[in-house]
Amino acid sequence: MASFYLAVLLIALTPCGLDAVEDNDRFDCYPDDGATQQLCEARGCMWEETNNNKAPKCFYCPDAAFSLSVARTATGTVLWDTSVGGFTFSDQFLQISTKLPSSYVYGFGEHERNKFRHNMDWWTWGMFTRDEAPGPPSNGVNKNLYGMHPFYLCVEDDGKAHGVLLLNSNAMEVVLQPTPAMTFRTVGGILDFYMFLGDGPEDVVRQYTEFVGRPFMPPYWGLGFQLCKWGYGSLDVVKDVVKEMQEYNIPHDVQYGDIDYMERQMDFTIDPVNYQGLPEFVDQIRRDGMRYVIILDPAITTNETAPYPPYTNGTALDVWIKSGEDTSQPLTGKVWPYYPGTVVDPNAEWDYKVENYNAYSVFPDYFHADIDRWWGEFIKDFYKTLKFDGLWIDMNEPTNFVHGSVTGCSDNKWDNPPYMPKILGPNIYSKTLCMNSIHGGTEHYNTHSLYGWSQAEPTQRALREVTGKRGIVFGRSTFPSAGHFEGHWLGDNTAKWDHLHKSIIGMLDFGLFGMPYVGADICGFWDDATPDMCHRWMQLGAFYPFSRNHNYEGGAPQHPTHWDGVIADAARDALQTRYTFLPFLYTLFYQAHTQGSTVVRSLMHEFIEDKLTWSIDRQFLWGPALLVSPVLDQGEMDVNAYFPKGRWYDYYSVNSDRQGREVAGSDQGRSLLLPCDMDCIPVHIRGGHVIPTQEHANTTVYSRRKPLGLIVALDEAGRASGSLFWDEGEDIDTIGSNSYRMISFNVAESTLDITVERNGYTPDPELRYETIQVFGSPTMPTDVTVNGQSVASENIVKKTADKVRDYGKT
Ligand SMILES: *[C@@H]1O[C@H](CO)[C@@H](O)[C@H](O)[C@H]1NC(C)=O
Ligand SMILES: *[C@@H]1O[C@H](CO)[C@@H](O)[C@H](O)[C@H]1NC(C)=O
Ligand SMILES: *[C@@H]1O[C@H](CO)[C@@H](O)[C@H](O)[C@H]1NC(C)=O
């Protein structure tokens, strides 16, 4: 009887039952500001003080009655368990919480983070696309950046991995807590979850991209080095930069026009004074093997006095986002374009400029049925004037320099939702459009984060139609499946040292999101890079899949030949190494495009059995085989690099007599301190792989005509394999039309077999191998066969014998 009485008493005291709820097991019932015991209890939730200021005082009682769980059949691991309470499904507030099987969580974007692996100690990540530069939390809010990716990867304790997508475009937040557990809170739509069961991280990305769309196949030149600056000032400056790059013999495939090539930043115009002669210049650099990419922004000025067809035609087609107050009228805001006749005071404050220089703009609705007739036609029309090779779509969060519209926003349920997720404010419409505007047939509230994504496909379509080539589109604001149409750069970063490290985290994140064509602005966008920072950043950036140096209008020049060429040698060396590996990088993109694999890859994707790799984010792999361990800190002249189990070979020992070629042949992983002076960026090749290479040149047009090489890095059993994808380089859908060559390489028992698996493309000039380097062999390879025929004596080995070198253990 006594115990019965006690139980009754406790139930009366704690609505959650007999057991106290530990801090880590509490799920926040009052995420809004201003929680009090009274307000909490009015919600039917539990209030209890705690010394942990991150844990909620107001929390749900666990609720097993209304819950679901998902378990992995093979292992019994419970991947999801929502019995923790808090499930809410209402008009503008949907919430679900789940326990997780481990605290190894990755993904969600777009954000700046200190680690690739998430911190589970009560962190809230808002997601809603926003024109916001990467940086630390602002007013206690982790900044939501340009893109929205409600997708995470979780590695279970036994090394199996799964991914989860919440396919929902409304403003949302995710709370991570040490239970381990997470809570999704979104302000609209439905709870549309997709689970990808792996069972390793690489499988998860393959399954995810099978669902959202495989990454597009970039053209070969898109893997070359790219150079941009907002505010070169004039075409003469651009010409000088390009000439200098050639004089210093630094590989340089792509030159850019940022918004200053335009007349007053208006799409489909060229500044007639500062960029007079741009089309002829573009023709000339294209003849030299280079490419030109231009920026386009969505906002279209309404205030031209001379005819401006993009506005008048768009108005005739009625393609603009409409005002929520009067749906017959477009919503007007302000972005770049200036009023006609503007004389700009370069010292004017931002607000003064917006008020006085920036014209009223309208925003195209890229969901509009006639969008190709407008956007697509203007792209094609402009191509008649300027022969661009790629399109860079910026400002498509969409950004707006006035909040909501030129007249602000009315008080309505979309612009003042009952719950504001932890995104930057102060309002949900800050820096963008009113949420009640009509976009894609619904309130912008629902489609806001789809803006950049919706622009990508029509842009890619128009680019391909007008150039007849694949080209590249890359955008700032992205959403799941954007990788099928475009690449991404990591936005307006800053010339500061920690942004070298964070760029690796950003690349790994976008790898998970199925967007492998990614990189950060090399040497930083905002602020001025110092020569030593830019030097290290050029070395790191040489290993970004999308390798571009770019900075802002007021910033000091930072192209690799600046500073009297002080960093030019290091930049040239690193980029020449990049170009040497381009056949391998291109093959990785083919694999990403056809199988959904990652290109830049976290070490854990390859070494999941080694738990140390689950937290590594200062090194990264290209595919399975090439390990990059950059110097990321000022003044450092060595790198603490981790080598997982297996054989690893120092790439540079190929080209020098440096000793210690095999760095870490071992049964288990180990860390090594690698000396690394300013000339060095460590690159190691993993035993078991054959890497196709090619001699570098000033552009990919010329490198593609040079001899190929093979690096054969043997594993413990003396085996290695690899492949090479080769096509014309920029034709559309060479894979679908079988217009490519696929070659596989296999080494076993001292024989290298080269097999042409598919021969749908004949390069001109024909590919030839000049150098075959074998790492890790105590003896020379004795035989080479091509398609089963021994060719050793005549064609390959003799010709290259002097270059076939033994890199056996030393
Ligand atoms: C690249 O080198 C080739 C000759 O090797 C030359 O014809 C071409 O003009 C060069 N291109 C550039 C952009 O320097
Ligand atoms: C610019 O156009 C808007 C209409 O979109 C108009 O209301 C405004 O007065 C114009 N401003 C100027 C300075 O012409
Ligand atoms: C814009 O509209 C005008 C008038 O209808 C037409 O002549 C012109 O071809 C259109 N331009 C584009 C690029 O659609």
Side-chain angles (χ1 to χ4, degrees), residues 741-804:
R741 183 179 290 176
M742 174 56 73
I743 303 168
S744 68
F745 310 103
N746 265 293
V747 178
E749 289 164 13
S750 301
T751 301
L752 166 63
D753 282 318
I754 301 177
T755 308
V756 179
E757 309 275 357
R758 191 180 288 277
N759 200 10
Y761 173 68
T762 305
D764 179 22
E766 185 48 276
L767 299 177
R768 60 189 198 285
Y769 304 92
E770 246 181 43
T771 313
I772 299 177
Q773 292 154 320
V774 182
F775 293 4
S777 169
T779 56
M780 303 275 278
T782 49
D783 200 7
V784 174
T785 71
V786 174
N787 290 349
Q789 303 291 308
S790 177
V791 290
S793 54
E794 294 299 309
N795 298 321
I796 296 194
V797 170
K798 251 191 192 156
K799 188 170 157 200
T800 62
D802 56 326
K803 291 188 183 166
V804 177

Side-chain angles (χ1 to χ4, degrees), residues 8 12 143 217 231 262 314 358 399 479 543 551 618 694 751 790:
V8 169
K143 288 178 168 196
M217 181 71 198
M262 304 175 189
N358 296 75
T399 189
F479 190 81
F543 294 88
N551 71 331
R618 296 175 68 92
Q694 192 162 33
T751 301
S790 177

Side-chain angles (χ1 to χ4, degrees), residues 246 288 290 698-699 702:
Q246 289 170 359
D288 292 342
M290 290 181 64
N698 56 10
T699 60
Y702 291 96

Side-chain angles (χ1 to χ4, degrees), residues 313 373 377-378 381:
N313 289 41
R373 285 180 62 199
E377 286 308 312
F378 278 99
D381 196 53

Side-chain angles (χ1 to χ4, degrees), residues 40 97 133 177 193 205 232 250 268 320 376 378-379 387 420 553 574 598 605 631 634 644 675 687:
C40 172
S97 298
Q177 64 182 73
F193 284 100
V205 176
Y232 277 116
I250 297 176
F268 312 115
W320 315 127
F378 278 99
I379 287 174
K387 297 290 177 280
M420 174 79 168
E553 190 180 25
T598 57
H605 287 219
V631 174
Q634 182 170 17

Side-chain angles (χ1 to χ4, degrees), residues 136-158:
S138 164
N139 292 326
V141 174
N142 293 313
K143 288 178 168 196
N144 49 302
L145 308 181
Y146 316 99
M148 173 166 183
H149 290 272
F151 174 77
Y152 73 88
L153 172 83
C154 177
V155 180
E156 299 150 44
D157 288 328
D158 59 5

